[in-house]
Amino acid sequence: MQLRILIVLLLSALSATASPSVGGMGDSIMEGYSHWQTAIAGTQGGDISYNPMYRLSVNSGGSLTYTNVGYPGWRCDQSLAELPWLSNSPPAQVIYHCGANDVAQGTAWSTVLASINSVKAYLSSIGSQMILDEIFPSYNFDDTQSATCRLWNAAFHAWGTTNNVQVLY
């Protein structure tokens, strides 16, 4: 259900200004739940239909090309390592989804904020527009972690307003 909601939100965010390419980066939500592991091994496996960028392409009628650099378990700071990969063929928009693993691992908000600022600066330098996605709380989060997700999502929206970045919810 969360993936279906994400696809609808992504399509609505891109529908007015959709370009032929879009990028996704972040954690397992963006990655599509282990699809990349089988793709790297060159073996058949995984279910590409869980990859939100693939679903976005399908739902756009196949006219949208995509790049996806999402990895399961990654915190926001770990996704910074993949930024140079996006510069090979910069997509017009990059949808950035991170934060749940940061909450789960007790990362400080200041570290998350620094990572988001770094992503924004890098994407701007290669001519890509950043779209930030809210955190989906995990089913196994306790009340404190769920409250942190709500607090950080509110902070994402405030940051997005200040930095002219659309935040999907």
Side-chain angles (χ1 to χ4, degrees), residues 17-28:
T17 60
S19 90
S21 67
V22 64
M25 67 179 290
D27 60 19
S28 61

Side-chain angles (χ1 to χ4, degrees), residues 137-152:
S138 178
Y139 67 90
N140 60 351
F141 278 2
D142 61 27
D143 289 343
T144 301
Q145 291 169 317
S146 295
T148 299
C149 287
R150 291 188 297 275
L151 181 66
W152 287 9

Side-chain angles (χ1 to χ4, degrees), residues 112-122 130 159 163:
V112 172
L113 183 58
S115 297
I116 292 170
N117 284 326
S118 294
V119 169
K120 167 77 165 102
Y122 188 86
M130 179 182 189
W159 180 88
N163 291 280

Side-chain angles (χ1 to χ4, degrees), residues 78-96:
Q78 292 172 305
S79 64
L80 298 176
E82 291 301 320
L83 285 172
W85 193 69
L86 288 172
S87 66
N88 294 334
S89 180
Q93 297 96 7
V94 175
I95 302 159
Y96 186 43

Side-chain angles (χ1 to χ4, degrees), residues 42 51 57 63 67 71-72 75 77 79 85 102 105 107 109-111 113 118 124 127 131 135 146 150 163:
N51 178 327
S57 177
S63 62
T67 300
Y71 292 92
R75 297 180 315 269
D77 63 315
S79 64
W85 193 69
D102 296 274
Q105 297 174 34
T107 304
W109 167 250
S110 59
T111 302
L113 183 58
S118 294
S124 294
I131 300 171
I135 302 168
S146 295
R150 291 188 297 275
N163 291 280

